[in-house]
């Protein structure tokens, strides 16, 4: 395969955009509380604003992360560049969400209903965007593997007859987790917090997966997009606490659990980087990552518990 094929990436993303926004139009036609005659205008408005604000959001967050680098190479040059490696995936995601919100306001529709209706389509777009990183090697890849593992778990790049690289296909795992969020969003179509929860489950697995990416946006040893995802996840848990009653200790249990998991992840990152040793030896990644996954599973359990409590409270 061609390890870097921007044309294939752009074609994939262009086709995916048309399919996803057609799906969004279909959802709008069926959505309660949204007039059918507004469906076409809304979907076209998002189709126009979505890609534009995705680029703006991706560039803006990357600029915040790498201000010194961008300033050194020249802001003008940076703004005119559309290199995917100089954009933030989650900045682009925020841009799309903003585009949906603005489109609802422009078309005079209820923004909350429109956002909830867009949630599964947005999750599908997020999944396709991750899978499309297949064409942008080394974007979305992880550790070099000693043994060849079949695609889609790994990508093998044949540079010559004598040299083949095999790297972990983190982008596939990320796309798979985004598909899980898509399916969950489809199933919970009557969920009043559908968009919020879809974003939550798009960000939660990334707290682990961002640690696997070799092309992560880093500041020293901090994976910045991993940090952004965790801050969003923790922010949702704090939001639950306020909605359930900020004066009740039980309301804060999910958020406090999140803080505990944060401490565990910090320890895990030090172990992964070899900054902390146990018995003079590095801890196996086969131990560290499953522990991280279990901790994130605990956060998912606490979020689900908080959501059920809030649902019962609103009855």
């Amino acid at each position: 395969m061609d390890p870097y094929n921007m044309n294939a990436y752009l074609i994939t993303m262009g086709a995916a955009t048309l399919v996803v926004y057609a799906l969004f139009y279909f959802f709008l036609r069926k959505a309660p509380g949204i007039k059918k005659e507004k469906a076409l205008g809304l979907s076209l408005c998002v189709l126009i604003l979505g890609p534009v604000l995705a680029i703006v959001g991706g560039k803006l967050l990357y600029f915040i992360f790498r201000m010194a680098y961008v300033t050194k190479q020249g802001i003008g040059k940076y703004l005119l560049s559309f290199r995917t490696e100089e954009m933030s995936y989650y900045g682009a995601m925020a841009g799309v969400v903003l585009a949906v919100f603005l489109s609802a306001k422009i078309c005079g529709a209820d923004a909350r209903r429109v956002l909830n209706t867009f949630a599964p389509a947005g999750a599908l777009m997020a999944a396709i965007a991750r899978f499309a990183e297949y064409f942008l090697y080394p974007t979305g890849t992880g550790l070099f593997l000693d043994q060849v593992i079949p695609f889609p778990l790994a990508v093998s790049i044949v540079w010559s007859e004598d040299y083949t690289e095999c790297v972990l296909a983190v982008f596939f795992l990320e796309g798979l987790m985004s598909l899980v969020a898509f399916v969950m969003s489809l199933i919970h179509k009557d969920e009043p917090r559908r968009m919020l929860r879809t974003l939550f489950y798009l960000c939660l697995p990334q707290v682990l997966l961002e640690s696997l990416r070799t092309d992560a946006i880093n500041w020293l040893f901090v994976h910045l997009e991993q940090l952004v995802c965790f801050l969003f996840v923790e922010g949702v848990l704090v939001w639950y606490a306020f909605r359930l009653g900020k004066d009740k200790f039980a309301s804060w249990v999910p958020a406090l659990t999140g803080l505990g998991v944060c401490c565990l992840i910090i320890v895990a990152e030090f172990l992964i980087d070899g900054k902390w040793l146990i018995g003079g030896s590095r801890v196996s990644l086969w131990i560290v990552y499953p522990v991280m996954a279990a901790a994130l599973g605990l956060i998912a359990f606490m979020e689900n518990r908080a959501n059920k409590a809030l649902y019962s409270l609103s009855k």
Side-chain angles (χ1 to χ4, degrees):
M1 75 170 236
D2 183 353
Y4 187 90
N5 192 334
M6 177 57 75
N7 289 335
Y9 174 80
L10 292 176
I11 291 171
T12 301
M13 291 301 296
T17 298
L18 294 177
V19 170
V20 166
Y21 287 113
L23 185 64
F24 176 47
Y25 169 74
F26 173 78
F27 289 154
L28 283 172
R29 295 275 298 176
K30 302 291 184 179
I34 300 176
K35 295 180 180 180
K36 290 184 178 181
E37 56 267 26
K38 291 187 176 183
L40 181 59
L42 264 169
S43 54
L44 288 176
C45 195
V46 177
L47 178 61
I48 295 169
L49 288 179
V52 173
L53 293 184
I55 293 172
V56 171
K59 299 289 281 186
L60 178 60
L61 192 56
Y62 185 87
F63 174 76
I64 293 172
F65 287 156
R66 303 292 305 276
M67 191 178 299
Y69 163 77
V70 172
T71 304
K72 184 177 180 180
Q73 77 162 9
I75 295 179
K77 182 180 178 181
Y78 169 72
L79 293 176
L80 295 175
S81 169
F82 292 99
R83 295 169 59 191
T84 56
E85 59 268 32
E86 292 185 346
M87 295 186 190
S88 165
Y89 177 89
Y90 287 93
M93 183 185 292
V96 172
V97 174
L98 177 60
V100 177
F101 175 81
L102 292 177
S103 296
K105 292 298 183 180
I106 291 170
C107 296
D110 184 284
R112 181 178 177 181
R113 290 182 185 274
V114 174
L115 284 166
N116 283 339
T117 303
F118 181 78
L124 180 59
M125 189 72 206
I128 296 173
R130 285 305 195 190
F131 289 135
E133 289 180 349
Y134 169 81
F135 298 110
L136 299 179
Y137 180 86
T139 298
T141 57
L143 298 173
F144 286 90
L145 304 174
D146 295 330
Q147 296 181 337
V148 175
I149 297 178
F151 183 80
L153 294 178
V155 176
S156 296
I157 308 296
V158 180
W159 296 106
S160 68
E161 293 182 359
D162 302 319
Y163 183 60
T164 299
E165 287 182 344
C166 186
V167 291
L168 185 65
V170 183
F171 64 84
F172 172 76
L173 301 176
E174 292 170 324
L176 196 60
M177 290 297 100
S178 297
L179 281 183
V180 171
F182 165 65
V183 173
M184 290 174 62
S185 191
L186 277 181
I187 293 173
H188 298 285
K189 61 181 180 179
D190 298 322
E191 170 64 59
R193 293 167 289 278
R194 193 184 195 188
M195 173 58 89
L196 182 69
R197 299 194 72 206
T198 300
L199 290 173
F200 183 93
Y201 286 102
L202 284 172
C203 290
L204 182 63
Q206 196 63 24
V207 175
L208 184 154
L209 294 172
E210 192 67 28
S211 178
L212 292 171
R213 291 175 69 105
T214 54
D215 66 326
I217 304 173
N218 297 332
W219 182 69
L220 299 178
F221 63 89
V222 179
H223 304 298
L224 294 174
E225 288 195 303
Q226 179 189 46
L227 177 61
V228 166
C229 287
F230 183 82
L231 289 176
F232 179 82
V233 165
E234 182 65 16
V236 171
L237 298 180
V238 170
W239 178 84
Y240 275 120
F242 277 92
R243 290 297 301 272
L244 290 170
K246 63 180 180 180
D247 298 327
K248 301 176 183 177
F249 176 77
S251 302
W252 289 94
V253 171
L256 292 174
T257 301
L259 290 178
V261 170
C262 178
C263 295
L264 185 148
I265 290 172
I266 291 172
V267 171
E269 289 295 340
F270 275 100
L271 293 174
I272 291 167
D273 291 342
K275 293 181 173 62
W276 289 352
L277 304 177
I278 295 181
S281 302
R282 297 184 66 154
V283 178
S284 171
L285 298 182
W286 290 104
I287 296 175
V288 178
Y289 282 120
V291 170
M292 287 178 67
L296 295 178
L298 177 60
I299 287 183
F301 171 79
M302 298 305 293
E303 186 279 335
N304 189 58
R305 177 182 171 187
N307 183 66
K308 288 182 177 179
L310 186 55
Y311 184 76
S312 299
L313 193 65
S314 61
K315 282 186 175 181

